[in-house]
Amino acid sequence: LAGDTTGARRLCQAVLAREPANAEALYRLGLLEMQEGRLEAALAFIERARSAAPGATRYGFGLGQALSGLGRYPAAAAAYRKVIEAEPQLPEAHFGLGLVLQARGDLPAAVAAYQEALRLRPEFAEALNNLGNCRRQLGQLPEAEAAYRRALALRPNYANAMSNLGAVLPALGRADAAVALLEEAARLEPKAPSHLVNLGVALCERRRFNDAVAVLEKALAFDRRIPEAAYNLGLALHRLGRIREAADQYRRAVALKPGYAEAFNNLGDVCRELGEFDPALEAFAAATKADPASPVAFNNAGGLLRSLGRMEEAEAMLRRALAIDPNSAATLNNLGNVLKDCGDLASAVDCFRRVVSLDPDDVIAHSNLVYSLTFQAADGRTILEEARKWDARHGAPLRPLIRRHNNDRSAERRLRVGYVSGDFRDHCQTLFTLPLLSNHDREALEIFCYSGVERPDGHTARLERLADVWRKVRYLDDAELGEVIRRDQIDILVDLEMHMANGRPLLFARKPAPVQVAWLAYPATTGMGAIDAVFTDPRLAPPGSDSDYSERVVRLEDTFWCYDPLTAEPGVNALPALADGRLTLACLNAPCKISDHAIRMWGGVMRALENSRLLIMAPPSSHRGRLEARLAAEAIAPERVEIVPFQRRLDYLRTYHRIDFALDTFPYNGHTTSLDAYWMGVPVVSRAGQTAVGRAGLSQLFNLGLDELAADGDARFVETAVALGKDLPHLAALRRDLRSRMERSPLMDGRRFAKAVERAYRELWRDWCRGPANREGSPSPAGG
């Protein structure tokens, strides 16, 4: 009656009608019930069979199977062990015990059980396959591979072993071989969704996301209840930028598997990208609840809270992640950024240095460290030294990948210029990219923009209209983007981010364009041999400072910045001191720029201007108390200080209505913030230093014809600010005139600035056309 379950059932029932205690008939009925999924009924029949024939060992084997199917693992293990006591040479009993132990999560014991089964039967392919699964779960990937290959040597068409081996190989760096194996497994068993899920994972590893989507959708068509299929389909859709569809699949995955921490975490990621911040935080919270031992979701929640300005909560979340994994590079980097935002720069740098010491190959920590040092360094050599370390560790290994460029070496032809940024959006960078792009000479240049923007907005759309070619590249890795840029035949590629957040220095290290330029992010060196030139201006980089740069120094005629406030509102108001009867001084720069050196100078000013108060901007956090204590140490009492939170741009600009004049930071001056102040009629007293970032005030004030407000020493800074504060008529006149002075200056002359940039591009291009064709990737000599 093989295959005829109905006939077998009738036969067993007929036997039992004559002999109600017939053990074999009871056992056979139990097996039939188990085969048809009625496990409780199966268990009842098998237990009756064991009662009828207590010495029949194989009935105990069936008992173990039924109990295991019901999830009663301790009882199942006991049943198998009893069988093993009676028949220790029975490989199936050891195999069954291994299955139970594996299901319970006792992987080392399961490995021992499978090994014993294999000792008794070396050709036991199923035991080899399951042994491989345990090894894989234990992270013993080479051993897992060996077990799967032994199973396949015994049974070459064993699709399960083939599929499992295919799931291991990507982690061993052999994704191509994995895809071939998994395709064969799917051919052998075309209706087995597990093979298709593993194939989808391998295709994602090979960044063949469209193919992965097709395969995973096929898996779900066979069985819509597989949470791993939905999760990996979400992953593939996510990488294709199909964000809402990805969110749908992650939600399906967690509906099918409520404790699916990875799916909750990824759902949080896509909700964040969609700007749905509350659902994102809810998803991260669900992930931490599902897997409280994993730092990943705590870290991601901390990163999102930081972007929302909720620094206290962000720091708490990140410290919870560190309590789980004190050496997590991602968490330490995020915590460093939170501490930097709160003004605790020394602790932030400690975080970044710790990551670098733990993992010298962590490119993000190295970049964070390079950028953070610009807030502390008193001279350009310190910044250059750290930037060169970055290049030696991360840029130099990519130099062998640099290929000769075949761009047309016609010196005067129309040039293809590419701009790379993740901040073509509502971001301070747009205040400067917009006036440049809108004034470019389209007969001389063809403009390509490579946008890594996470959430495009109205500013993104406006910038896109100014480009000849706009490419969305957020989901391309550096190698893929490099190939796109090469195919586009870009002549000059411009890095707008450098070592700041959203930067792609490893893209530029591959040198996908023959001429590469750094501009805008901040006026300092990248330290990279693959960057040919850095744009600056004569005040930021005075004669003799070229040795602070690894790149050729190109001084634009007037200014490094050309500013567009993007709004005429709010207007400039009258000098507040005339109505208030007291002076309001201010610094609206980020707290990380407020050094002890700056506070000492401010203290000198406020001691001399007794009827004054200080307004500063900082996020709500416990670090505010530390800032207040630092101010108090310089006799700036708490009652003379008002701290306002970070604000949306229009509200932030309205804050200048309360300010009479601003005190600059040092050694990193205000950049965009100072330009905002001038636009709002608020003069800034600055202190010029030895680094480019510390001469921003001098550069901007020179272009406004107000260089008398740029002091060359601490005492002079105090004298200048005090004199300004004591001359309210002069201060009021400055306020009335400053916006129009800005509009007339090179700082807002987009046409003039674009011409200067275009002349610099042309000269760099002519130099490349004149130079030897074999110099690709070598650093250019410094020059003016």
Side-chain angles (χ1 to χ4, degrees), residues 484-694:
V484 170
I485 290 167
R486 276 188 166 271
R487 287 195 299 271
D488 285 341
Q489 288 282 287
I490 296 300
D491 302 309
I492 298 175
L493 191 67
V494 184
D495 182 3
L496 299 175
E497 305 279 13
M498 295 164 62
H499 290 291
M500 293 180 71
N502 296 324
R504 302 191 69 155
L506 294 181
L507 164 71
F508 287 85
R510 290 172 162 82
K511 203 165 176 65
V515 177
Q516 300 195 145
V517 176
W519 171 65
L520 186 55
Y522 53 95
T525 184
T526 65
M528 295 174 60
I531 299 289
D532 300 286
V534 59
F535 283 176
T536 182
D537 70 37
R539 265 62 58 184
L540 293 174
S545 63
D546 293 40
S547 59
D548 291 345
Y549 300 83
S550 63
E551 310 88 348
R552 173 178 173 177
V553 178
V554 176
R555 296 170 176 87
L556 303 174
E557 284 90 333
D558 301 300
T559 174
F560 176 84
W561 299 276
C562 185
Y563 170 84
D564 183 338
L566 303 182
T567 177
E569 297 297 329
V572 176
N573 67 329
L575 188 71
L578 297 176
D580 294 348
R582 64 174 179 175
L583 279 168
T584 299
L585 315 183
C587 173
L588 300 188
N589 282 290
C592 57
K593 293 185 180 182
I594 303 177
S595 67
D596 290 341
H597 191 141
I599 291 174
R600 283 196 300 274
M601 294 191 298
W602 298 356
V605 174
M606 295 196 70
R607 285 191 293 274
L609 297 174
E610 295 180 358
N611 189 28
S612 65
R613 61 173 182 157
L614 179 66
L615 191 153
I616 55 180
M617 184 173 283
S621 80
S622 59
H623 295 274
R624 276 191 176 184
R626 178 175 169 274
L627 177 57
E628 288 172 339
R630 291 167 61 211
L631 292 165
E634 292 298 329
I636 307 175
E639 59 269 20
R640 298 180 69 189
V641 178
E642 180 183 354
I643 301 178
V644 297
F646 294 158
Q647 299 164 322
R648 291 185 176 275
R649 181 162 175 77
L650 283 177
D651 291 331
Y652 148 76
L653 289 176
R654 288 189 186 98
T655 305
Y656 285 104
H657 283 170
R658 303 168 57 195
I659 300 167
D660 294 297
F661 69 93
L663 301 175
D664 208 350
T665 49
F666 185 83
Y668 196 126
N669 295 164
H671 294 184
T672 306
T673 309
S674 294
L675 292 167
D676 290 335
Y678 302 136
W679 176 250
M680 293 304 301
V682 176
V684 180
V685 179
S686 188
R687 162 73 159 89
Q690 298 302 309
T691 63
V693 297

Side-chain angles (χ1 to χ4, degrees), residues 144-219:
E145 179 187 3
Y148 295 137
R149 290 199 184 280
R150 283 176 60 195
L152 287 168
L154 292 167
R155 195 189 303 170
N157 289 332
Y158 188 3
N160 276 347
M162 198 176 292
S163 180
N164 289 329
L165 176 58
V168 162
L169 289 180
L172 293 169
R174 284 171 276 160
D176 285 333
V179 169
L181 275 170
L182 290 161
E183 287 175 338
E184 178 62 12
R187 186 191 67 79
L188 290 168
E189 293 182 357
K191 294 187 177 181
S194 61
H195 306 335
L196 294 170
V197 173
N198 285 343
L199 176 56
V201 172
L203 289 167
C204 284
E205 290 283 343
R206 297 304 300 145
R207 300 187 66 82
R208 291 170 53 185
F209 299 119
N210 284 307
D211 293 337
V213 167
V215 165
L216 292 162
E217 285 178 338
K218 187 176 180 182

Side-chain angles (χ1 to χ4, degrees), residues 5-14 29 32-33 36 38:
T5 57
T6 303
R9 184 182 294 276
R10 280 200 299 266
L11 180 60
C12 290
Q13 288 170 337
L29 273 175
L32 288 168
E33 295 288 354
E36 294 178 359
R38 292 186 289 272

